[in-house]
Amino acid sequence: MRRHVTPSRRAFTLMESLMVVTILGIIAAGTLPIMQGVATNAAASDRTRRVSESGAYAMDRIARMLRDAPPGVTNGTINLAAAAADTISFADGRSLFMKGDELWYRNTDGAEDALITNVQEFEITYLAADGVTDTSATPHTTQRFIVRLVTGGLELRIAIFPRVRLAA
């Protein structure tokens, strides 16, 4: 007697293959917006990091310059050549100034360096020792600088005490 053996299935049917492709398409469609969001967030995070690093560098250079302000004729004063809300120049030739949307630093030998680009706002406030009285009219008597820098949507502020103040 002969037995009839049915061949075993070793491959997917067309219907099974279509089902797998459909399920994978649904999964891909669901994860694509998530992956795009991750890529967008990574790019925004990188941009924020670059802006904060360049802002921190500029603020560090500004703080060093203002902290090392040259002493004035009178004990405890600063030897300023010019002072405004967005510019400061010392008698030794060092200065900070804006050129368009760039903040520049001029050294004692006249060499100029761009500290930071894409500056939306730059402001220096000149204050007396009490930290409240505005000394803009007599900037050589300044005992505290408040610097505000806005770049790339990031606002940085710092208070700087010139070292000449210690001699007073």
Side-chain angles (χ1 to χ4, degrees):
M1 186 166 169
R2 273 181 139 180
R3 261 195 310 184
H4 184 62
V5 178
T6 57
S8 62
R9 287 178 38 189
R10 293 196 173 136
F12 290 111
T13 64
L14 180 60
M15 187 57 107
E16 289 170 332
S17 297
L18 286 174
M19 291 292 278
V20 167
V21 168
T22 303
I23 290 170
L24 289 175
I26 291 170
I27 292 171
T31 59
L32 188 61
I34 294 169
M35 296 305 287
Q36 285 177 335
V38 168
T40 301
N41 288 343
S45 175
D46 185 55
R47 183 183 151 278
T48 301
R49 180 191 53 78
R50 279 186 278 120
V51 167
S52 65
E53 283 178 359
S54 62
Y57 170 76
M59 290 300 267
D60 182 58
R61 294 281 307 267
I62 292 166
R64 275 192 260 158
M65 181 189 141
L66 296 177
R67 196 173 296 122
D68 294 331
V73 177
T74 309
N75 196 13
T77 62
I78 299 171
N79 198 352
L80 283 170
D86 63 349
T87 303
I88 187 167
S89 297
F90 293 115
D92 64 1
R94 293 179 297 151
S95 61
L96 289 170
F97 56 94
M98 293 291 296
K99 274 188 191 177
D101 68 345
E102 298 178 333
L103 179 62
W104 285 75
Y105 169 73
R106 182 178 297 126
N107 206 341
T108 54
D109 61 4
E112 295 181 354
D113 292 318
L115 291 181
I116 189 168
T117 59
N118 192 25
V119 175
Q120 285 94 28
E121 295 179 50
F122 174 67
E123 176 184 17
I124 303 171
T125 306
Y126 305 87
L127 300 174
D130 63 4
V132 177
T133 307
D134 187 352
T135 60
S136 297
T138 56
H140 65 281
T141 62
T142 297
Q143 298 294 312
R144 182 184 304 182
F145 297 101
I146 305 294
V147 178
R148 182 174 162 267
L149 176 69
V150 180
T151 178
L154 180 69
E155 181 174 337
L156 301 166
R157 291 177 184 251
I158 189 170
I160 302 151
F161 298 90
R163 289 191 176 122
V164 297
R165 163 179 201 259
L166 300 175

